[in-house]
């Protein structure tokens, strides 16, 4: 399913880059963002950022984990590349059916 885009100035800009001589084009977030909500006295914080490489994604996850070191769970996920060739996620031990 294609992702929404508002064009070059919108929240989901198209990225066009070369990797190993091949051109990749895909839609991603324009920059870092945070959303917070509370459900049944539990605080949920969603942090998101563009990452062109798995190393960038891991570094972002580490920064968020450090920023919220007192969090009970730091769940994360990332998808890298136009072909979504790298997909990783962790529920950080969150009990099933609780979030």
């Amino acid at each position: 399913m294609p992702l929404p885009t508002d064009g070059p100035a919108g929240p989901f800009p198209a990225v066009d880059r070369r990797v190993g001589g091949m051109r990749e084009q895909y839609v991603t977030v324009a920059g870092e963002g945070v959303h917070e909500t509370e459900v049944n006295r539990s605080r949920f914080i969603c942090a998101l950022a563009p990452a062109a490489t798995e190393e960038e994604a891991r570094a972002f996850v580490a920064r968020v984990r450090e920023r919220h070191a007192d969090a009970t769970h730091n769940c994360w996920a990332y998808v890298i590349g136009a072909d979504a060739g790298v997909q990783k996620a962790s529920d950080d031990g969150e009990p099933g059916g609780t979030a």
Side-chain angles (χ1 to χ4, degrees):
M1 169 182 277
L3 296 173
T5 181
D6 291 334
F12 299 100
V15 171
D16 192 1
R17 69 182 186 124
R18 294 205 176 269
V19 176
M22 297 188 67
R23 184 174 166 206
E24 287 190 324
Q25 188 172 26
Y26 53 94
V27 176
T28 187
V29 296
E32 290 190 19
V34 176
H35 176 75
E36 186 174 332
T37 190
E38 188 173 314
V39 177
N40 296 330
R41 295 180 305 201
S42 291
R43 183 173 161 212
F44 294 87
I45 302 169
C46 173
L48 113 122
T53 66
E54 192 166 3
E55 292 75 27
E56 288 179 16
R58 285 189 200 137
F60 178 73
V61 169
R63 286 194 311 274
V64 170
R65 185 179 296 276
E66 184 177 313
R67 193 175 304 141
H68 301 286
D70 60 338
T72 307
H73 301 283
N74 284 287
C75 305
W76 54 265
Y78 56 82
V79 176
I80 305 292
D83 64 351
V86 177
Q87 299 182 29
K88 304 239 173 123
S90 170
D91 66 3
D92 198 26
E94 180 75 29
T98 62

